[in-house]
Amino acid sequence: MLSVRAKLALLYSLVMFTGLVLFGMLTYGLLHYELIQGKQTHLDGREARLISLLQTNEASRTQASIIEQLKNYALVTHEGNLFHIRNADGSWMFPTDQPGPDLPQSEGCEHPTYGTVILQGGPVLVLCHAMLLKGQPVRLYIGGVLDEEAIILSRYRNALFLLLPALLIVASVSGYLLSRHALKPVDRITRAALEIGVGNLSSRLPVPTARDEVQNLVIAWNQLLARLEAAVLRLSRFSADASHDIRTSITVMLATAQLSLIRPREEDEYRHDLEKIVTECRTATTLLDALLTLAQSDNFINEVQFKRVDLSELVVSGCRRVEDLAESCSIYLDWQLPEQSISVNGDEVLLQRLLGILLDNAIRYTPQHGEIRVEVSWGGMRPRVTVRDTGVGMPESVRAHVFDRFYQADLREGKSRAGNGLGLSIGRWIADAHGADLAVESTPLQGSTFHIDFPEGDELHVSSEAIAELSQF
């Protein structure tokens, strides 16, 4: 497999070779054309001198015959042996002492025409022109040897054949050096990238000073490294917190069970210990459930099954599941349904999960004797589910990051259990995958309101951003 540097050099050489060949062919053709044009001009001049000579002799009433005048002209003119005249019947008028060469009897010589023939082993350019001589129609043939032109073209052709390989070699070497110089920043970037690992994601690729595509690529990679570093830091922090919380829950359950087995206790004491173990199990279960969702989210698109889901039934079922938990926390939970049912396209299990996340979040941050209300309604032309609580609320700084993965804000009271920073972010990508909008309104010390606005109509629109988000979990 050739390197990019070698491929660029070969491509450069191929382009240069093609350009040189085209240049050679073009210049050779132009040179040939100019040489022939010059020869044609020379033949035109010879014809004009012959006609002028005959007209001058006729005006001076010379006693010499036309044949003698032509012989004298042939003796004194250049290439006089290539001067012939043919009668209209095809016989040779001049020269009379020897037959003329085998010249084409063109019918189109009313105007000067040119053609190339081989005479005495060499190329000759022949001018053919029909004219009147002493009142008789004749055809005048004047030839010019092309030996000099052939020599010039041959030398130029040989020079091209000698120069083309040399120029090709120079072009290949130049192309390789140019590609090597152009790819030097890529080599530096490659070496720097090989030195970056999970342990030093804070390192960045060197940005070249030239404002070109390589600089844009490096900037994009550095931005990717920044996002990757932030994600790894959040994941590391979450893993450490998760490990600590799970270990703490297991330690508490083990210690409680061991103390219960050390000595006999009253029934109320056993019940208290069991309730403590149940609480720790719920905490660990919540955390493990979040981790399981995190691990399975890449397969989300292949596993979901969309169908018609009645939002009223969804809300009633979700509220029934957590009403005991709300009651144990002294929180009033209620729901409000429309007179006519509202249905949407979606995965019932995931929508239950989304509603459960919002209810769990509301219970966690609502103090005793607070209220949580769930409503199904129309938000304009869109089906809407609203979860409203009278909890501690959120300031703007928390609300801006509340849907970020692994983000945790310490808004809880002492009675609340710790979160894991994944619930609302999982809820966000479930909403995105259903084409729904998940938004929050909150005021500190007054409570929060979460809205799920489903798309209009029956068609489900899964955005490419939602799919990309799923692949990042």
Side-chain angles (χ1 to χ4, degrees):
M1 181 65 67
L2 295 177
S3 63
V4 175
R5 186 179 291 106
K7 290 180 180 178
L8 289 176
L10 288 177
L11 179 61
Y12 182 79
S13 301
L14 179 61
V15 172
M16 289 296 298
F17 176 76
T18 304
L20 290 173
V21 170
L22 293 176
F23 173 79
M25 294 174 61
L26 179 62
T27 54
Y28 183 85
L30 290 175
L31 180 60
H32 180 273
Y33 175 79
E34 292 297 331
L35 291 174
I36 296 300
Q37 287 294 315
K39 199 65 174 179
Q40 290 178 0
T41 302
H42 174 69
L43 295 180
D44 292 338
R46 289 174 59 188
E47 179 191 18
R49 288 192 297 271
L50 173 60
I51 295 175
S52 176
L53 174 65
L54 294 177
Q55 291 175 348
T56 301
N57 290 339
E58 183 179 3
S60 63
R61 299 182 183 275
T62 181
Q63 299 298 321
S65 64
I66 188 66
I67 299 300
E68 291 179 347
Q69 294 180 34
L70 294 175
K71 285 183 178 180
N72 293 332
Y73 175 79
L75 290 174
V76 299
T77 188
H78 176 65
E79 295 179 337
N81 61 324
L82 299 178
F83 163 59
H84 298 79
I85 299 178
R86 174 176 282 172
N87 294 315
D89 59 1
S91 62
W92 288 105
M93 175 182 177
F94 180 84
T96 57
D97 56 347
Q98 60 181 357
D102 186 15
L103 297 175
Q105 299 186 22
S106 175
E107 299 296 335
C109 289
E110 287 77 10
H111 301 285
T113 59
Y114 305 91
T116 303
V117 297
I118 303 298
L119 295 178
Q120 299 177 358
V124 176
L125 182 65
V126 178
L127 164 65
C128 175
H129 192 190
M131 57 183 297
L132 292 176
L133 187 60
K134 294 292 185 178
Q136 297 180 1
V138 296
R139 282 192 175 86
L140 174 64
Y141 294 93
I142 299 178
V145 179
L146 296 176
D147 290 343
E148 293 184 4
E149 289 77 4
I151 292 174
I152 293 175
L153 291 173
S154 176
R155 289 179 178 177
Y156 184 74
R157 183 174 61 251
N158 294 336
L160 287 177
F161 286 149
L162 290 176
L163 287 176
L164 279 178
L167 292 175
L168 181 61
I169 293 174
V170 173
S172 300
V173 175
S174 301
Y176 180 80
L177 295 178
L178 286 174
S179 62
R180 183 177 180 180
H181 177 73
L183 292 176
K184 275 186 177 180
V186 179
D187 294 335
R188 292 195 296 268
I189 293 169
T190 302
R191 290 192 296 269
L194 291 175
E195 295 175 357
I196 298 176
V198 178
N200 60 338
L201 286 176
S202 58
S203 302
R204 295 293 181 266
L205 301 177
V207 180
T209 56
R211 297 180 178 273
D212 53 11
E213 291 79 2
V214 177
Q215 186 190 60
N216 296 334
L217 177 63
V218 172
I219 293 175
W221 272 104
N222 284 338
Q223 293 174 351
L224 175 63
L225 287 173
R227 294 193 299 269
L228 182 62
E229 180 187 12
V232 170
L233 287 176
R234 289 195 300 268
L235 183 59
S236 300
R237 189 181 306 113
F238 172 72
S239 299
D241 294 343
S243 300
H244 176 269
D245 291 344
I246 292 177
R247 183 171 59 251
T248 300
S249 297
I250 294 176
T251 301
V252 171
M253 288 186 289
L254 180 61
T256 302
Q258 288 177 338
L259 289 175
S260 299
L261 294 174
I262 288 176
R263 58 181 177 82
R265 295 190 175 192
E266 298 294 332
E267 180 179 351
D268 293 339
E269 293 177 331
Y270 281 121
R271 180 176 295 276
H272 178 268
D273 291 342
L274 289 175
E275 290 175 351
K276 190 175 182 180
I277 292 174
V278 168
T279 300
E280 295 299 330
C281 285
R282 287 177 176 172
T283 301
T285 299
T286 301
L287 185 59
L288 290 174
D289 191 35
L291 290 174
L292 181 61
T293 302
L294 179 67
Q296 292 179 341
S297 59
D298 289 339
N299 300 323
F300 170 74
I301 293 298
N302 297 325
E303 295 177 356
V304 295
Q305 296 181 354
F306 293 103
K307 62 180 182 179
R308 299 300 296 178
V309 178
D310 190 315
L311 292 181
S312 298
E313 296 180 359
L314 181 75
V315 167
V316 172
S317 175
C319 292
R320 293 291 188 190
R321 293 178 58 187
V322 298
E323 62 180 354
D324 291 339
L325 178 61
E327 183 180 355
S328 65
C329 297
S330 300
I331 297 174
Y332 176 73
L333 175 62
D334 191 19
W335 54 87
Q336 183 176 346
L337 307 177
E339 295 182 359
Q340 295 183 350
S341 62
I342 301 176
S343 298
V344 297
N345 281 332
D347 184 283
E348 185 174 4
V349 175
L350 287 176
L351 292 179
Q352 283 283 5
R353 180 70 189 279
L354 171 58
L355 181 60
I357 290 172
L358 297 181
L359 289 172
D360 180 76
N361 189 75
I363 294 173
R364 179 182 299 127
Y365 294 106
T366 300
Q368 291 184 352
H369 309 298
E371 294 184 3
I372 299 175
R373 185 175 297 275
V374 184
E375 300 176 5
V376 178
S377 61
W378 289 94
M381 298 297 294
R382 305 179 64 178
R384 168 178 288 183
V385 175
T386 303
V387 178
R388 183 180 291 106
D389 64 62
T390 58
V392 296
M394 292 177 286
E396 176 63 28
S397 59
V398 175
R399 193 162 63 251
H401 301 282
V402 72
F403 293 110
D404 293 346
R405 289 190 296 273
F406 312 119
Y407 179 77
Q408 299 182 64
D410 190 11
L411 303 173
R412 300 171 289 107
E413 293 186 352
K415 61 96 182 177
S416 301
R417 62 188 185 279
N420 50 52
L422 278 176
L424 289 178
S425 75
I426 294 174
R428 165 60 65 86
W429 63 253
I430 291 177
D432 290 344
H434 285 78
D437 295 328
L438 178 59
V440 59
E441 301 173 1
S442 185
T443 303
L445 303 179
Q446 294 186 17
S448 301
T449 301
F450 286 85
H451 298 289
I452 309 173
D453 291 321
F454 292 90
E456 297 182 36
D458 295 333
E459 183 177 358
L460 173 66
H461 302 280
V462 181
S463 64
S464 58
E465 291 80 3
I467 296 176
E469 183 73 11
L470 292 176
S471 64
Q472 297 176 11
F473 268 87

